[in-house]
Amino acid sequence: MGIAEGRRALVIGVANEKSLAWAIARELRAQGAEVALTYQGAMLEKRVRPLAEQVGASVIGELDVTRDDQIDAVFAKLRETWGGLDMMVHAVAFAEREDLRERFLNVSRQGFLRSLEISAYSLVALARAAEPLMQARGGGSILTLSYLGAVRAVPNYNVMGVAKAALEACVRYLALDLGPSNIRVNALSAGPARTLSSSAIRDYYTMAHEVEKRAPLRRGMETEEVGRMAAAMLSELASGVTGQTVYVDVGYSIVGF
Ligand code: NAD
């Protein structure tokens, strides 16, 4: 029997087959969960629907996290179909391309706010919407994805690093608020992976190569490793863990030089 048997999971952030959210959705299905996916806009719907079919997940609807009406619609539909929710994955981030290329010093007010809104505030808005559905199930578990740039100044990661720092702080405050409802909130800090989002970061792949050379495990991280750890953190196996950022980065973050 899988560790997510009988659980109902909402996974936000699948764009294509390389998405970390997709690795998590696949693992949750393999571990017995029912999974609902969302998509950001009609272009991505075409990618997400066939993926959902591949693993027997459902597509619950369109979700742009800057749109409160779409957040409301997705959670209304979840209430109607499932009546409750056990797990939610937030794998959403955005920064303007030029803000990942220029000096951080030059980030525009608008670029800064947009990045923080989509990459950090959205977790708060979604957790608020998820709370009553998770309470209906006696508790739940929320997981977001972060990166080392939250706690170190990683070249070119720029405003995204600031957004990840805010995201990790949101995880701690949400954990404090939602703990009494038996809802856990954690972040998984992943190593570099080739995805649509990471391709926007200048020299990301040179950096990824450096990680492979210096990390204790002397290799890159596999997206399946994110999927497996995410499923564990979302499940009862991690029932005593909340407010934490856990690294799945082949050990790179511990290396001093
Ligand atoms: P991805 O491009 O596959 O996923 C990013 C997702 O964010 C997409 O599905 C996109 O639709 C969604 N998104 C962006 N703006 C949105 C909005 N306004 N509303 C709704 N959705 C929106 O890339 P990924 O690398 O799988 O990214 C998933 C998460 O993992 C992100 O938080 C990213 O920062 C994090 N992460 C990625 C890496 C990496 O190396 N790829 C490393 C650590 C953390």
Side-chain angles (χ1 to χ4, degrees):
M1 197 163 118
I3 59 172
E5 206 70 50
R7 301 293 177 189
R8 286 157 178 174
L10 172 66
V11 179
I12 302 160
V14 177
N16 59 32
E17 72 290 347
K18 298 222 184 319
S19 296
L20 296 181
W22 173 235
I24 298 171
R26 271 197 331 252
E27 186 62 29
L28 286 173
R29 282 294 297 141
Q31 293 292 344
E34 283 182 65
V35 172
L37 305 179
T38 62
Y39 56 88
Q40 183 202 3
M43 287 271 284
L44 290 183
E45 182 180 7
K46 288 191 203 119
R47 301 271 180 104
V48 172
R49 284 204 182 273
L51 289 176
E53 266 173 41
Q54 255 180 49
V55 295
S58 58
V59 179
I60 199 87
E62 179 170 359
L63 180 57
D64 179 325
V65 296
T66 63
R67 298 267 309 264
D68 286 334
D69 59 327
Q70 291 189 0
I71 295 179
D72 291 347
V74 161
F75 282 88
K77 198 149 174 223
L78 279 178
R79 182 182 287 282
E80 194 184 296
T81 41
W82 283 345
L85 183 68
D86 300 296
M87 300 169 173
M88 181 170 77
V89 175
H90 172 273
V92 172
F94 176 82
E96 298 291 352
R97 198 166 267 262
E98 63 267 24
D99 289 335
L100 300 171
R101 276 148 207 266
E102 302 268 328
R103 297 164 82 200
F104 169 65
L105 194 65
N106 293 339
V107 66
S108 66
R109 187 186 302 269
Q110 203 205 330
F112 188 101
L113 293 176
R114 193 163 158 73
S115 183
L116 271 281
E117 180 190 10
I118 295 175
S119 315
Y121 175 74
S122 63
L123 178 69
V124 183
L126 290 163
R128 192 163 54 232
E131 182 184 19
L133 287 175
M134 289 187 166
Q135 280 171 331
R137 300 277 290 173
S141 179
I142 298 174
L143 185 73
T144 186
L145 293 180
S146 193
Y147 176 63
L148 185 64
V151 291
R152 306 267 177 81
V154 175
N156 302 316
Y157 202 61
N158 297 0
V159 69
M160 217 38 253
V162 177
K164 292 301 191 193
L167 179 71
E168 291 182 10
C170 289
V171 163
R172 290 187 284 274
Y173 282 95
L174 289 171
L176 197 59
D177 279 356
L178 295 173
S181 297
N182 193 31
I183 298 170
R184 297 182 297 107
V185 188
N186 290 292
L188 184 163
S189 185
R194 276 177 186 273
T195 63
L196 208 58
S197 296
S198 62
S199 65
I201 301 161
R202 195 175 64 183
D203 291 339
Y204 199 68
Y205 298 121
T206 319
M207 228 165 58
H209 196 58
E210 276 307 300
V211 169
E212 287 174 26
K213 283 200 298 200
R214 292 177 191 220
L217 294 179
R218 297 287 193 278
R219 62 172 176 82
M221 179 206 72
E222 304 289 336
T223 58
E224 289 75 15
E225 293 175 311
V226 171
R228 288 197 294 273
M229 189 61 174
M233 289 172 75
L234 286 160
S235 80
E236 284 305 296
L237 289 181
S239 60
V241 182
T242 193
Q244 300 298 327
T245 298
V246 173
Y247 287 78
V248 179
D249 67 344
V250 288
Y252 181 74
S253 54
I254 62 144
V255 177
F257 182 69

